Amino acid sequence: MSNKARVAVLVSGGGTNLQALIDAQHSGLIEKGEIVVVISNRESAYAIERARKAGIDTHVVTRKACGGQEGFEAKVKEIIDGYNIDLIVLAGFLTILSKDFVTYYDHKIINIHPSLIPSFCGDGFYGIIPHEAALARGVKVTGATVHYVNEVADGGEIIAQKAVNVEDGDTPETLQRRVMEQAEWLILPVAVAKICRKIVAERR
Ligand code: GRF
């Protein structure tokens, strides 16, 4: 078995955060981790294409095909456990995971959220919505957060954060792009690299 932590990345959309992880693995920044599987809940997610181009195994698991949330989570668990995963990364993954699921993988799931938690987070705050809320509130600084996933939406222990300035004239889209470029795509790979180093060190 390679001396690397085995990482699963769960996706739903464009996969820019997945791409940042793939690039960080190839550059050596994520030295002690290997992305061995990408799981999407949407067949159309471009993230799947990114994974395929990188030669990473992919699986599409939909609630519809699995007959609902319980079957969906059972299938995702079957895949994760079949790959002997050490760390699960939610990267633009837009499906709720049950308390049972996140409790089963306690302290093994991390998420990237596009705001400085505890601002603009929790139920209903995903994708472009945190940026719309930040602009509506008039904050001058926002950013991104990497955190452990627990049964409370965006409520787990914070691992890393990075602040990003809100610029005059920002739209939710321009702000989202800046937060992705200047925060998400930087702090998520660094956090994964750090956690993978710890996982491997604790194996000894
Ligand atoms: C982005 O809004 C990001 O902030 C959040 O999910 C959305 C899509 O990310 N994590 P990705 O391009 O699919 O990684």
Side-chain angles (χ1 to χ4, degrees):
M1 182 163 94
S2 86
N3 185 29
K4 292 189 175 186
R6 297 170 63 82
V7 180
V9 184
L10 275 51
V11 298
S12 299
T16 63
N17 279 286
L18 169 66
Q19 191 63 57
L21 292 172
I22 291 169
D23 296 345
Q25 183 179 313
H26 291 167
S27 73
L29 187 143
I30 300 178
E31 183 192 2
K32 296 293 186 183
E34 182 185 5
I35 304 168
V36 295
V37 65
V38 171
I39 303 172
S40 175
N41 67 310
R42 291 185 185 160
E43 179 76 51
S44 60
Y46 187 66
I48 290 287
E49 184 58 27
R50 294 180 190 273
R52 284 183 183 143
K53 281 181 183 164
I56 300 169
D57 285 0
T58 61
H59 293 264
V60 175
V61 184
T62 66
R63 259 196 287 239
K64 187 162 181 259
C66 298
Q69 182 73 20
E70 197 173 329
F72 168 79
E73 291 191 359
K75 183 64 182 168
V76 172
K77 273 182 69 180
E78 179 190 321
I79 295 167
I80 285 171
D81 295 348
Y83 278 86
N84 296 315
I85 293 302
D86 298 299
L87 176 64
I88 301 162
V89 182
L90 308 185
F93 187 64
L94 298 178
T95 282
I96 298 301
L97 294 168
S98 69
K99 180 177 178 180
D100 284 352
F101 188 96
V102 298
T103 306
Y104 181 82
Y105 293 112
D106 182 42
H107 251 76
K108 281 182 78 168
I109 311 176
I110 67 172
N111 180 50
I112 176 79
H113 179 76
S115 78
L116 293 176
I117 291 175
S119 297
F120 315 120
C121 67
D123 288 336
F125 284 95
Y126 57 86
I128 199 80
I129 296 168
H131 305 296
E132 291 170 340
L135 290 173
R137 183 64 184 83
V139 297
K140 302 308 176 187
V141 174
T142 185
T145 302
V146 181
H147 63 94
Y148 281 105
V149 173
N150 65 11
E151 67 282 1
V152 177
D154 300 326
E157 174 192 345
I158 290 173
I159 299 165
Q161 295 189 301
K162 191 167 189 303
V164 173
N165 289 331
V166 179
E167 307 290 356
D168 291 342
D170 261 334
T171 64
E173 290 71 21
T174 60
L175 183 55
Q176 178 182 47
R177 183 75 194 181
R178 188 176 312 114
V179 168
M180 291 166 94
E181 287 174 344
Q182 297 184 6
E184 294 179 41
W185 300 343
L186 302 178
I187 64 174
L188 184 59
V190 169
V192 169
K194 178 181 165 190
I195 294 167
C196 288
R197 276 198 304 275
K198 187 168 181 287
I199 289 167
V200 170
E202 287 173 352
R203 279 179 184 163
R204 293 196 188 100

